[in-house]
Amino acid sequence: MSTPSVAAEPRSEIEAANHRFMEAFGRGDAASVAQLYTSGAQLLPAHSDVVAGTSAIQSFWQGVMDMGIQEVILDTLELETHDETAYEVGRFTIKAVGGELADTGKYLVIWKRDGGSWKLHRDIWTTSQPAA
Amino acid sequence: MSTPSVAAEPRSEIEAANHRFMEAFGRGDAASVAQLYTSGAQLLPAHSDVVAGTSAIQSFWQGVMDMGIQEVILDTLELETHDETAYEVGRFTIKAVGGELADTGKYLVIWKRDGGSWKLHRDIWTTSQPAA
């Protein structure tokens, strides 16, 4: 295997983008969350078909907010950069209104450097909770 | 964004690896399925913590086979290669003994070229079926 470049700069920029995700989600601003994705981005959520494009992504996250989810916490475990593409593995925690734990799990995101900013391009996650 | 290289060669090699996955799974050979992953590979399945390493990956797929799943069909929708790393988005169909449809969904796989072969390195998928 080649040795991938893991420069400090993409890592800090991607972690900053994740912080903007968490902040926008926390204030219920689905439009700003959606702007963190590329225009051709796709979510691959469970119990759903692929969610493609800015408008559909905004609606998806608005729907999650409307279900009473108030906080998303993202924690990067692995980040590997190849030129203007990166993949990130992380853990998430989501909390409902009042701080109640709603879900925990892990995610895999493909990031693209797009117009000078790192943006989410492919986003998939799974719960680590037992099946209901 | 940069224009990624999408050479014919990685695509045909990765599609061949997916065919080996389907064939090994179809004959109930979890050991051969696990050999298609890098030694440091991770599965990120729903309702589970991360499944890391060859032995744990073999046990995971053996467990799926033991649940009565007999066939996995993988269909590549997107493949983007960056040197010795690639990401693939695809759709899966899984069938139980007797051909009954068990699940459909989508997946995101990070592939690594490892010792001359493309191997699965990060593997995550979600069902597209409605929640139970």
Side-chain angles (χ1 to χ4, degrees):
Chain A
M1 281 188 267
S2 65
T3 303
S5 83
V6 190
E9 192 188 327
R11 185 171 189 109
S12 63
E13 290 180 8
I14 286 170
E15 290 185 342
N18 277 334
H19 277 277
R20 285 194 291 276
F21 189 113
M22 292 186 263
E23 286 169 3
F25 197 98
R27 64 177 186 266
D29 182 355
S32 291
V33 172
Q35 289 300 320
L36 298 171
Y37 289 80
T38 64
S39 60
Q42 295 176 0
L43 313 181
L44 283 65
H47 311 301
S48 161
D49 205 346
V50 173
V51 175
T54 305
S55 172
I57 288 172
Q58 178 177 340
S59 295
F60 178 87
W61 289 120
Q62 185 65 56
V64 172
M65 292 167 185
D66 291 348
M67 287 169 57
I69 302 300
Q70 194 170 49
E71 187 179 3
V72 174
I73 302 165
L74 304 171
D75 179 22
T76 303
L77 297 177
E78 179 187 23
L79 181 68
E80 195 178 284
T81 307
H82 298 271
D83 300 325
E84 300 200 307
T85 302
Y87 81 80
E88 179 199 10
V89 177
R91 293 190 181 275
F92 70 84
T93 301
I94 65 174
K95 295 183 180 179
V97 175
E100 189 192 356
L101 184 67
D103 198 9
T104 60
K106 55 274 175 214
Y107 62 84
L108 177 57
V109 170
I110 306 295
W111 293 82
K112 287 282 186 185
R113 195 166 163 83
D114 177 11
S117 299
W118 286 96
K119 294 193 171 185
L120 297 95
H121 189 56
R122 300 287 177 264
D123 186 5
I124 182 170
W125 62 93
T126 58
T127 179
S128 295
Q129 302 300 303
Chain B
M1 280 187 269
S2 63
T3 303
S5 84
V6 190
E9 192 187 326
R11 185 172 188 107
S12 63
E13 291 180 7
I14 285 170
E15 288 184 344
N18 278 333
H19 278 277
R20 286 195 289 277
F21 189 112
M22 292 187 263
E23 287 168 4
F25 196 97
R27 63 176 186 268
D29 182 356
S32 291
V33 172
Q35 290 300 321
L36 298 170
Y37 289 82
T38 65
S39 60
Q42 295 176 1
L43 313 181
L44 283 63
H47 311 301
S48 161
D49 205 346
V50 173
V51 175
T54 306
S55 172
I57 289 171
Q58 178 177 340
S59 295
F60 178 87
W61 289 119
Q62 185 65 55
V64 172
M65 293 167 184
D66 292 347
M67 286 169 57
I69 301 301
Q70 195 170 49
E71 187 179 2
V72 174
I73 302 165
L74 304 172
D75 179 22
T76 303
L77 298 178
E78 179 187 22
L79 182 68
E80 195 178 285
T81 307
H82 299 271
D83 300 324
E84 301 201 307
T85 302
Y87 82 80
E88 179 200 10
V89 177
R91 291 190 182 276
F92 70 86
T93 302
I94 66 175
K95 295 184 179 180
V97 175
E100 188 192 356
L101 183 66
D103 198 8
T104 60
K106 55 275 175 215
Y107 61 85
L108 177 57
V109 170
I110 306 296
W111 293 83
K112 287 283 184 183
R113 193 165 162 84
D114 177 13
S117 300
W118 285 95
K119 295 193 170 185
L120 297 95
H121 189 56
R122 300 287 177 266
D123 186 4
I124 182 169
W125 62 95
T126 58
T127 179
S128 295
Q129 303 300 302

